[in-house]
Amino acid sequence: MSSSSKAGAVAHEVREPEAKESVSELELHVAGMNCPDCVRRAEDRLEDLEGVRAARGDHVARRLHVAFDAHEVDGSRIRAELGSIGFVARPAEGDTGRTDIWSTPMAVRTYVSGAAFLSGLLLAFLGTGPAVLQLPWADLRVPDLLFLAAAIVGGWNFIPAGFRSLRALSLDMNFLMTLAILGAVGIGEFLEAGAIAFLFSLAELLEGYAVDRARRSIHALLDLSPDRATVVRDDAEVTVSAQDLVPGDVVRVRRGEKIPGDGRVASGAAAVNQSMITGESLPVDLAVGDEVFAGTINTAGFLEIVIERAADETTLANIVRIVEEAERRKSRSERFVRTFARYYTPSVAASALLVVAVPTLLLGQPFSVWFVRGLTLLVIACPCALVISTPVAVVSGITAAARNGVLIKGGEHLETMGRVRVIAFDKTGTLTHGHPAVTDVVPLEGTEETVLSLAASIEARSEHPIGKAIVAEARERDVALKAEISDFDNNFGMGAAAVVNGRRCIVGAPHLFSEESLPTAALESLSGQAKTVVCVGPAEAPVGLIALADQPRDEARGAIQTLRRAGVERVVMLTGDNRHTAQAIAGRLGIDAVYAELQPEEKVRVLERLEADWGVTAMVGDGINDGPALAVASIGIAMGAAGSDVALETADVALMADDLSRLPYLYDLSRAGGQVIRQNIGASLLTKLTLAIGVPFGWVSLVTAVLIGDMGASLAVTLNSLRLARVRPTARGAAD
C-alpha cells in the first residue's frame, strides 16, 4: 500500500463512529481553584463543553482530571475554557506545588489594600477633615478615599471572578463578596467596603497558605525520590537521571546517598534508612539478595544494586499514586456535607432576600440598614468553611499516615477504621513471623551445643525451612559445624540424613527413630506446647531433640493490648493451621477467640458472622493469601505490603512494614480523624448559625461576617485538621 493510500485509510478510520468512542485523559493543575465552589464551577463549565466526557476536580490538590474525546476537543481548548472563567490551567505533569503564596499578585494586592485600609483608619481616628470629593450619594474625605482604594485594590482579587460568576448565574463567594462591596459603596459605607475587600483577600491568602501545608505533604513524598543515579556501564560509572533507569541496570550507592530505584543488592552491605517507605525508625541491615526501595537512604556502607522496576513502577511511585487517588475519594462525611451545602446556601440566600424585603416593603424600615443586613446574611451563606471541613482533614490524615508507613486508600477507610469493634487476624505471617525458629534443644547425650552442631552440619545443605532454622540457631550461638559430612540425602521421608564421622545420622520426625530409644515424656511435653519436634542422631539411638515453632511477633501482644485500651472490643484469629497450634499462639497473645483449620471461603463466612454480631470488622492479613477475607471485611488491612503490588492493590489499608505496632497508630489516627471531622462540621455550622441569628438584630456587621464567618471559620477548620499530623506511632512493642 502506498503512503497516500495509507493516509487515506487512516483518515477513513478517524471518521468511523467507533473511533469517536476513544477517550483521552488530561490532568491539569488549576491555579485559583481554591474552594469547592471553584471546583463545581470548573466541572460544570467543562462538562458543558462538547467532547468532554467527565471532569473531576480536587480543590486541595488544585488538580482537575478531564476525560475527553480528542477528535472533538483538545487540551488547549479545555485550558482556554477554564481561562474564560478565571482559572489558569497547565498540565499537572511536573507540577511541584511549590508556589510561594506570599509573593503572588494576589498577595501584593492584599498588602497594598491593607496599607490603604490601615492608613484610612489612622486618619479617621485623628480626624476626618473636610470633604475632598463629592459623589451624588456621599461626600468623600481623605480616609474615605483610602478606604475606597483599599476596596478597589483588594477587591480586584475577586471582583472579576464575581462578575464571571454572575454571568454563569453562580452564587459563589466571589459574587457574594463583590455584591457586598458594591452595596457598601452604594450606600456610602466606605470603611466597610475597604474592610471587606482587605479582610476577604487576607482570608483567602491565609486559607490558601493553610491548605498548601496539607497539599505540600504529597510533594514531600515526591521529594524522597533522588534525581540522579550512578550507573555502572562498561566498567565505568556514569551519572544518569533516576527516571531513565531500566530493569537490569546496576547502580552504586555510597554512604549518605539515596537509593534511586527498586531492586536487589548484588554486592556489598549497608544500613539503610527505610522509614520513608515502611515507617521504621531504625536503619535496616541489608546484604546480597535483599530487596531495596527507591528513596531510601544508605546510612552506612556501600551497595551495588540491580534495578528491577522502572521509575514509574517503584514502591514509592505506587505510594504517591495511591495517596493522590485516596485524596480524591470522597468520605461518607464529605458526601453528606456536600449534599447539605447544596440546600444550605440557596436557603440562606432566600432568607437574605426576605431580610431586605420584609422590613423595607412591609414595615417601612430604612432600606440602607436592611440592605446591609441582607448582604451580611449572603456572606454568611457561603459554605466554604463547612465544605472544606472534611477534605482537608482527610488529606492531612492520609498523608500523615503515608509518612509513617501506612497507606489508607481513601477518606471512607480513614473514617471506618475509627469505628472498628472487632479485629480479625490471620496467624501465619501476620501474628507470627511465618517461619519456624528453634525454641528448645534437649540433649540425650552430650550438650546442647553437640546436638545443635550435629543437626546443623547435616541441615546446612538443606533448603527446608526447619533445616534453615536449625542452621540459623547454630550461627546465632556460634556453634561450629562438623566437617566430616558425606552422602547427604534430603529425600529421606520427613527429614535429612548424612554420614557423619562414618556413622549415618538423621535429623527428622520421631517415627524415623527406634521407638524404644525415644524420650516419650519430653516428646509429649514439647508437642503439647504446639511445637514441631525433630530428633537428631543415629536411628537406633538419637542424641537429642530440637523443638521448633513459628514464633509470635515481638510487638504482637503489645499491639493487641493497645488496641483493646483504645476501644476495640474483640480480637479473633482466623487461620488454616491446626487448632492446637492456633490456640497455643492465641493464648500467648491474649486473643479472645480462635477459628482454626479454615479454608479461604470459610474465613469469609466467619467474617460475615462477626460483622452481623458485632458491627464494623477489620481483617488483617498478608494481602495475598487472605484476599477474599480482606475484601469482605468492613476494612481490609494488608501487612508487610512494601514491594508487593498485590497487597498494595487489594487492601483498603496497607501497613508497609511487618510491624503490628502500626495498627494501633492507624486506629488512633482514624479515631482522631473522625473527631476532627465532627469538630469541623459542628464548629462551622454553629458559627454560621449563630451569626445568621444575630444579623436581623443588627448584632453582626459585614466585617464581622467576613472576619469570623468566612476567614475565621475556614482557618479554624483547616488548622484543626493539620493537628492530625501530630498523631505518632508508639514504639514497637511498647505496650507489652
Side-chain angles (χ1 to χ4, degrees):
M1 182 182 290
S2 67
S3 60
S4 60
S5 60
K6 287 181 181 178
V10 171
H12 176 71
E13 289 174 2
V14 169
R15 289 193 296 269
E16 290 290 336
E18 56 267 25
K20 292 190 177 182
E21 297 300 320
S22 62
V23 176
S24 300
E25 295 185 349
L26 179 64
E27 192 84 14
L28 296 171
H29 175 273
V30 185
M33 195 173 70
N34 298 320
C35 68
D37 275 341
C38 298
V39 172
R40 179 180 52 78
R41 191 152 49 92
E43 290 174 346
D44 290 348
R45 186 60 173 250
L46 290 186
E47 288 180 348
D48 288 340
L49 185 63
E50 186 176 354
V52 172
R53 299 292 178 258
R56 295 292 178 267
D58 176 4
H59 72 278
V60 176
R62 290 180 187 156
R63 294 290 180 97
L64 191 65
H65 182 83
V66 187
F68 63 99
D69 187 337
H71 300 297
E72 298 182 41
V73 67
D74 59 16
S76 60
R77 173 67 192 284
I78 290 171
R79 293 196 297 272
E81 197 69 18
L82 290 170
S84 70
I85 56 173
F87 297 125
V88 178
R90 61 177 182 272
E93 183 178 355
D95 172 52
T96 65
R98 294 177 180 81
T99 302
D100 182 7
I101 197 167
W102 303 111
S103 60
T104 59
M106 175 185 176
V108 173
R109 286 192 288 267
T110 301
Y111 304 150
V112 173
S113 175
F117 177 71
L118 294 175
S119 298
L121 279 182
L122 178 61
L123 290 179
F125 177 76
L126 296 176
T128 58
V132 295
L133 183 64
Q134 287 187 333
L135 296 176
W137 65 91
D139 292 338
L140 289 177
R141 293 171 173 77
V142 173
D144 297 327
L145 289 174
L146 289 170
F147 293 143
L148 191 57
I152 294 171
V153 175
W156 201 252
N157 286 326
F158 52 87
I159 288 175
F163 282 115
R164 285 191 292 267
S165 298
L166 176 62
R167 287 200 302 270
L169 300 178
S170 172
L171 195 67
D172 67 3
M173 196 62 179
N174 292 317
F175 169 72
L176 295 176
M177 287 298 174
T178 300
L179 185 60
I181 288 177
L182 295 178
V185 171
I187 61 175
E189 296 289 347
F190 303 111
L191 186 150
E192 295 233 350
I196 292 168
F198 167 57
L199 291 176
F200 182 66
S201 293
L202 181 62
E204 293 293 285
L205 204 60
L206 292 173
E207 183 182 316
Y209 170 72
V211 174
D212 274 345
R213 286 190 58 187
R215 183 184 298 121
R216 282 198 299 269
S217 55
I218 184 64
H219 295 287
L221 293 175
L222 289 168
D223 285 341
L224 296 175
S225 184
D227 296 326
R228 314 296 292 174
T230 302
V231 184
V232 179
R233 290 178 180 165
D234 298 326
D235 295 326
E237 292 186 357
V238 180
T239 301
V240 302
S241 169
Q243 294 297 314
D244 295 334
L245 292 175
V246 296
D249 280 343
V250 176
V251 299
R252 289 176 177 169
V253 183
R254 294 174 172 81
R255 178 179 180 179
E257 295 179 345
K258 288 183 179 180
I259 292 173
D262 283 11
R264 291 193 180 274
V265 177
S267 66
V272 177
N273 179 358
Q274 296 184 337
S275 61
M276 59 290 300
I277 301 294
T278 65
E280 289 282 355
S281 57
L282 297 177
V284 178
D285 292 329
L286 299 180
V288 174
D290 288 334
E291 189 174 19
V292 296
F293 305 111
T296 56
I297 302 171
N298 179 0
T299 61
F302 173 82
L303 295 174
E304 274 197 355
I305 298 165
V306 177
I307 297 298
E308 294 183 341
R309 299 185 183 191
D312 59 353
E313 297 174 350
T314 64
T315 298
L316 180 60
N318 283 334
I319 290 173
V320 173
R321 174 181 56 79
I322 288 169
V323 171
E324 288 179 329
E325 290 175 355
E327 291 175 350
R328 287 196 287 265
R329 291 176 183 151
K330 305 293 185 258
S331 69
R332 185 172 61 174
S333 295
E334 189 171 357
R335 290 194 296 269
F336 161 75
V337 166
R338 287 204 164 209
T339 302
F340 177 84
R342 196 173 297 130
Y343 298 100
Y344 162 82
T345 302
S347 299
V348 179
S351 300
L353 292 176
L354 292 175
V355 164
V356 177
V358 171
T360 56
L361 298 179
L362 300 182
L363 303 177
Q365 296 291 313
F367 174 79
S368 60
V369 172
W370 290 97
F371 179 68
V372 171
R373 292 179 184 179
L375 290 178
T376 304
L377 201 55
L378 278 178
V379 170
I380 295 170
C382 184
C384 280
L386 177 63
V387 178
I388 70 170
S389 60
T390 300
V392 176
V394 168
V395 168
S396 182
I398 288 175
T399 51
R403 289 196 300 271
N404 286 289
V406 179
L407 280 186
I408 304 173
K409 296 287 194 68
E412 187 148 3
H413 305 312
L414 177 68
E415 288 187 280
T416 300
M417 186 64 202
R419 297 184 287 111
V420 164
R421 298 181 64 194
V422 178
I423 296 185
F425 289 92
D426 174 50
K427 179 182 76 69
T428 305
T430 302
L431 290 172
T432 67
H433 290 286
H435 53 78
V438 173
T439 60
D440 304 87
V441 179
V442 180
L444 304 178
E445 290 182 13
T447 65
E448 291 187 12
E449 285 70 22
T450 58
V451 173
L452 194 57
S453 175
L454 176 59
S457 299
I458 296 173
E459 294 285 9
R461 304 182 185 185
S462 172
E463 292 298 317
H464 194 280
I466 287 179
K468 290 182 177 181
I470 291 172
V471 173
E473 181 70 11
R475 289 174 179 165
E476 181 71 20
R477 298 193 188 190
D478 291 327
V479 172
L481 304 188
K482 299 181 181 298
E484 302 84 3
I485 302 291
S486 62
D487 296 331
F488 174 76
D489 181 5
N490 199 31
N491 298 312
F492 186 80
M494 296 179 65
V499 175
V500 183
N501 294 332
R503 193 176 186 185
R504 186 172 178 78
C505 295
I506 303 169
V507 181
H511 77 261
L512 300 175
F513 294 79
S514 169
E515 187 174 349
E516 294 78 15
S517 66
L518 296 175
T520 305
L523 283 171
E524 289 178 350
S525 173
L526 293 170
S527 298
Q529 300 172 49
K531 296 177 180 179
T532 299
V533 183
V534 297
C535 299
V536 182
E540 64 275 10
V543 298
L545 310 176
I546 297 178
L548 305 96
D550 185 6
Q551 296 292 87
R553 295 184 181 276
D554 296 339
E555 75 281 6
R557 183 175 178 83
I560 290 170
Q561 290 176 346
T562 304
L563 286 167
R564 289 189 193 284
R565 289 195 293 269
V568 174
E569 298 179 32
R570 191 166 179 81
V571 179
V572 303
M573 178 194 292
L574 308 184
T575 179
D577 207 346
N578 71 78
R579 184 170 302 279
H580 191 56
T581 300
Q583 288 177 335
I585 296 293
R588 294 173 64 180
L589 299 179
I591 288 174
D592 297 314
V594 174
Y595 301 85
E597 301 173 11
L598 298 176
Q599 296 298 318
E601 62 274 12
E602 293 174 317
K603 289 185 179 182
V604 169
R605 288 197 289 270
V606 171
L607 281 168
E608 289 172 341
R609 288 202 305 271
L610 287 170
E611 188 153 347
D613 294 341
W614 290 86
V616 182
T617 304
M619 173 68 194
V620 186
D622 61 14
I624 303 172
N625 299 327
D626 299 304
L630 293 176
V632 78
S634 306
I635 183 164
I637 304 170
M639 194 177 80
S644 171
D645 292 338
V646 174
L648 286 176
E649 295 297 335
T650 58
D652 301 318
V653 174
L655 310 182
M656 301 303 289
D658 286 323
D659 182 5
L660 285 172
S661 70
R662 287 298 183 273
L663 203 53
Y665 162 71
L666 169 63
Y667 191 73
D668 289 343
L669 180 68
S670 299
R671 293 281 296 270
Q675 290 172 355
V676 164
I677 289 170
R678 289 190 294 272
Q679 290 167 0
N680 286 351
I681 293 173
S684 301
L685 288 174
L686 183 61
T687 299
K688 289 189 176 290
L689 178 62
T690 303
L691 291 173
I693 290 173
V695 168
F697 300 99
W699 299 338
V700 179
S701 67
L702 266 172
V703 174
T704 303
V706 175
L707 195 61
I708 298 177
D710 179 61
M711 179 172 71
S714 296
L715 283 177
V717 299
T718 303
L719 296 175
N720 189 42
S721 299
L722 296 177
R723 292 191 302 112
L724 292 177
R726 298 208 298 264
V727 180
R728 291 281 188 266
T730 56
R732 176 183 281 221
D736 283 336

